[in-house]
Amino acid sequence: MKYSIFGESHGPAIGVVLEGVPPGLALDLDAVRFDLSRRAPGKNALSTPRREADEPRVLSGLFEGRTTGAPLCAVIENTDTRSGDYARTKDLARPGHADYAAHVRYGGFNDYRGGGHFSGRLTAPLVFAGGVARQLLAQKDVYVGAHISTIYGVNDDALEDWESLRACAAKDFPVLSDEKGAEMQQAILEAKNEQDSVGGAIECGVFGLPAGLGAPDFGQNAEGIFAKYLFAVPAVKAVAFGAGTAFSLMRGSEANDPLYMDGGVVKAEQNCAGGINGGITNGMPLVFEATLRPTPSIARQQFTVDLAKGENAVLELQGRHDPCVVHRAVPVIEAAAALAACELLGL
């Protein structure tokens, strides 16, 4: 199953085309809408006030509630755009954004409004695609869940099991510890009041994958497949599996996962490897952490360049922006993980 996303942040609509969707899947659009609502902006002071209904309209590949096997295409209309916010600074490359790189890559013809195709707005159709993938995975008893693991140095409790993540999905602020979540929200609001933004990380688990998926080779490596999907998410700047960077603080006796037999099944006493050894799944939950950068659009004065004049400039942004994208990105990371798991399973 392959997907391609189209549209721009301030265009008439955004959408996705999924090819290779198996025919006969009874697609639960309400479940997809729920995940889209988790990602949607405009709910509170922690997010941009831009309000979008994010109601998907399926154009093809679905008939009488079931997938047909033809390309599945869905569009989501953009209804709350204020493109004039970007006209004044259209030639000023925003630090931290893709403006300069896109200007060079596309010869200056890219849509600059709200970041165009590089906007986090494009994660909405990704969540739709992930919603389809999640329903295919459920047929194989494979489930994906995530929580905010850290925001600006405030850490959530450690992931323990799938049930705790299911509870997170129902929360407006998806953390395991609501007490830690309150501290995170305070950090976001403090940055917002100071015309700034904060970043963080999301821990995600894929439960139910059998041992033996993947390969040590380039292109088939389990970590590589997941990284490919995760780095296609705007704002993701690092991905770590299992203990991740904490491996640098360990000895082998701490990092190794002791094995034991449980009813004829090989299991591990801990999961520092994150469910992968040698590029191949080992039957433990596949666990990773994705780190997201602070939102680049901030109201503070910043130094940049004027791409039209070819000279130094000062940028003062207007518009509606997120002081933090991490809490809204949880269903996005889940969607990317679900699509990666489908590829790993050959779905």
Side-chain angles (χ1 to χ4, degrees), residues 12-317:
I14 52 180
V16 63
V17 177
L18 272 162
E19 297 184 58
V21 181
L25 173 67
L27 188 60
D28 184 350
L29 284 175
D30 285 338
V32 176
R33 290 186 183 98
F34 174 69
D35 282 339
L36 284 168
S37 71
R38 295 167 62 206
R39 191 217 70 92
K43 295 179 179 178
N44 51 49
L46 301 174
S47 305
T48 169
R50 177 175 177 174
R51 297 185 67 87
E52 295 284 1
D54 283 352
E55 174 62 32
R57 181 161 59 99
V58 178
L59 302 183
S60 66
L62 190 69
F63 181 66
E64 295 182 342
R66 293 185 179 270
T67 55
T68 65
L72 179 63
C73 178
V75 296
I76 299 170
E77 293 184 1
N78 293 324
T79 59
D80 186 19
T81 58
R82 288 191 346 203
S83 301
D85 290 341
Y86 298 91
R88 182 180 60 86
T89 57
K90 68 183 183 68
D91 296 320
L92 303 182
R94 295 169 299 169
H97 277 281
D99 294 350
Y100 171 65
H103 178 84
V104 175
R105 176 67 176 81
Y106 300 111
F109 291 102
N110 54 292
D111 186 344
Y112 63 83
R113 300 169 302 170
H117 189 70
F118 297 90
S119 170
R121 177 81 184 124
L122 275 294
T123 59
L126 175 59
V127 169
F128 180 93
V132 177
R134 289 164 76 105
Q135 293 180 40
L136 288 172
L137 292 174
Q139 295 181 340
K140 302 287 186 181
D141 293 323
V142 176
Y143 302 96
V144 180
H147 71 113
I148 302 169
S149 53
T150 182
I151 286 181
Y152 198 56
V154 180
N155 298 319
D156 193 16
D157 291 347
L159 171 62
E160 292 185 359
D161 52 37
W162 161 239
E163 291 300 325
S164 63
L165 291 181
R166 288 188 64 182
C168 272
K171 297 181 179 181
D172 289 335
F173 199 81
V175 288
L176 300 172
S177 167
D178 292 334
E179 181 180 352
K180 294 294 185 180
E183 293 181 36
M184 293 178 188
Q185 293 178 60
Q186 184 60 34
I188 295 172
L189 294 175
E190 286 177 1
K192 180 181 181 180
N193 291 337
E194 295 172 7
Q195 298 183 319
D196 217 330
S197 63
V198 292
I202 294 168
E203 185 180 33
C204 183
V206 184
F207 300 83
L209 288 174
L213 300 176
D217 306 318
F218 176 81
Q220 298 177 315
N221 181 288
E223 287 118 328
I225 289 172
F226 271 79
K228 175 177 65 175
Y229 285 88
L230 292 164
F231 280 120
V233 176
V236 170
K237 300 300 289 184
V239 176
F241 292 86
T245 57
F247 276 122
S248 66
L249 305 173
M250 294 179 176
R251 291 186 174 185
S253 56
E254 299 170 301
N256 293 342
D257 300 329
L259 303 176
Y260 67 98
M261 296 299 301
D262 182 10
V265 178
V266 176
K267 294 186 178 180
E269 292 181 1
Q270 59 183 23
N271 193 21
C272 287
I276 303 173
N277 292 113
I280 302 170
T281 57
N282 62 22
M284 292 290 286
L286 194 157
V287 178
F288 65 86
E289 186 176 62
T291 300
L292 289 78
R293 60 161 298 139
T295 315
S297 292
I298 57 176
R300 289 189 174 191
Q301 187 180 89
Q302 301 178 82
F303 295 109
T304 186
V305 294
D306 188 314
L307 297 173
K309 298 178 181 178
E311 61 185 34
N312 293 329
V314 174
L315 175 67
E316 292 186 6
L317 282 177

